């Protein structure tokens, strides 16, 4: 087991600033490209991260602390951000993400201490899960969506790189997985 | 074809600052973890990006401008950064990457104009390549290595996320590809 709260927070607090420095000021060509019909663009990924801050991580943590594993916590709708698409600019979304993430890290610090990491909740699909697994997942969820944004942008240049495609893992994987 | 120089530069100039805000100040646990024997950690990836700035992109661009496709350009050793591992801190490496990247973007702007994008060079493995393919590859090479760093870090929490692994694309892909 690698999880420790201090190191987890290091990643959680860096994700908003990382995305801000990566995405702010980019042309629409980069911000609105996606990987094909039914896939997300970078802006939609940031909106999904904001949804997670509002309705997933801290609400589930509180649910476990209140209910233990006696009842399953409500499912998180991973597509809800697509139903309420706002007219925010990317900078407004990035700013909102940063603000709510920092609030949530502070809130987490008031809610738990290391002795709580093994407390169990009940996931509607997985069954018993531990608080430390929820918090580890929060971190890896950030990483998977940073990776997704980068992959979406690489996809835009798939044909532009010509024969170098052979050497570029980010494009080769998509060849292998077809997704 | 999606490539245009202004948009390519948008990504090229953001990569150093993105990595700086993501990696600077992280614990050694994040900076030195890798995906198993023979794989790179985040610091080694940054060193590889620096090597590319010194010996790959601009030198190859200059080689094409000077020699056209009459002779193959020298191979770039993708592992050379492992032979000369420095004792730099991650912050020193990130700073060096930023400085040399910005110098190289300036240099590129003095070397070429859109009329040169179709000029051809000769890649030792691929044969004929165009300048616009080289420059597109420079961009996607950044993206592939940002993606690699993020994937390396996610790997560290593979077992910590418990059953959520099922939902985390960044871990599932590794399951599928075993690499």
């Amino acid at each position: 087991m690698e999880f420790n709260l201090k190191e987890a927070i290091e990643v959680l607090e860096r994700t908003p600033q990382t995305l801000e420095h990566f995405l702010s000021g980019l042309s629409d060509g980069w911000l609105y490209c996606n990987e094909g019909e039914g896939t997300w663009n970078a802006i939609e990924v940031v909106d999904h991260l904001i949804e997670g801050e509002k309705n997933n991580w801290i609400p589930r943590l509180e649910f476990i602390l209140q209910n233990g594993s006696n009842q399953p916590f409500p499912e998180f709708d991973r597509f809800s951000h697509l139903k309420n698409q706002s007219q925010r600019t990317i900078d407004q979304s990035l700013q909102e993400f940063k603000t709510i993430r920092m609030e949530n890290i502070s809130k987490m610090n008031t809610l738990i201490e290391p002795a709580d990491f093994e407390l169990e909740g009940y996931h509607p699909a997985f069954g018993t899960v531990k608080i430390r697994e929820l918090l580890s997942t929060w971190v890896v969820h950030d990483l998977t969506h940073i990776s997704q944004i980068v992959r979406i942008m690489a996809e835009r240049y798939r044909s532009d790189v010509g024969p170098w495609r052979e050497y570029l893992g980010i494009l080769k994987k998509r060849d292998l997985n077809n997704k």
Side-chain angles (χ1 to χ4, degrees), chain A:
Chain A
M1 205 192 76
E2 295 284 347
F3 174 79
N4 88 48
L5 189 60
K6 176 184 159 290
E7 291 182 356
I9 290 173
E10 287 175 5
V11 176
L12 292 173
E13 68 188 6
R14 276 167 179 73
T15 301
Q17 67 190 29
T18 300
L19 290 179
E20 187 180 356
H21 283 85
F22 191 51
L23 297 178
S24 179
L26 281 182
S27 292
D28 285 353
W30 292 120
L31 294 174
Y32 288 93
C33 64
N34 62 28
E35 298 172 285
E37 197 177 330
T39 65
W40 298 350
N41 61 39
I43 296 173
E44 288 166 335
V45 176
V46 174
D47 285 342
H48 167 75
L49 288 167
I50 293 169
E51 275 300 310
E53 295 306 302
K54 290 180 179 167
N55 298 315
N56 190 344
W57 313 109
I58 292 294
R60 284 187 167 181
L61 178 62
E62 290 176 315
F63 194 92
I64 295 176
L65 291 170
Q66 282 162 24
N67 302 286
S69 55
N70 292 328
Q71 53 175 306
F73 37 78
E75 283 210 54
F76 171 61
D77 179 356
R78 285 184 283 166
F79 303 96
S80 65
H81 65 286
L82 301 177
K83 296 172 192 154
N84 303 301
Q85 287 196 295
S86 64
Q87 297 307 308
R88 289 176 300 199
T89 65
I90 182 73
D91 283 338
Q92 287 169 327
S93 291
L94 290 165
Q95 189 57 50
E96 177 174 356
F97 178 44
K98 186 160 65 175
T99 302
I100 191 167
R101 168 59 60 90
M102 294 310 169
E103 287 169 1
N104 280 342
I105 292 172
S106 299
K107 194 161 188 179
M108 172 174 64
N109 282 327
T110 66
L111 288 172
I112 54 162
E113 52 188 47
D116 301 321
F117 293 165
E118 300 299 320
L119 291 179
E120 291 178 343
Y122 196 86
H123 185 287
F126 299 140
T128 304
V129 290
K130 294 173 188 293
I131 281 182
R132 65 172 164 78
E133 292 171 336
L134 176 71
L135 301 180
S136 300
T137 302
W138 193 6
V139 172
V140 179
H141 183 265
D142 274 15
L143 299 174
T144 205
H145 286 295
I146 295 172
S147 171
Q148 181 184 12
I149 289 172
V150 169
R151 191 187 70 218
I152 294 165
M153 290 170 62
E155 180 62 24
R156 185 170 183 235
Y157 272 10
R158 169 173 291 274
S159 62
D160 294 273
V161 300
W164 268 288
R165 173 173 159 182
E166 193 64 29
Y167 285 175
L168 295 163
I170 202 166
L171 297 176
K172 282 177 82 175
K173 251 173 233 140
R174 196 171 151 85
D175 292 341
L176 288 167
N177 290 344
N178 193 30
K179 67 175 190 177

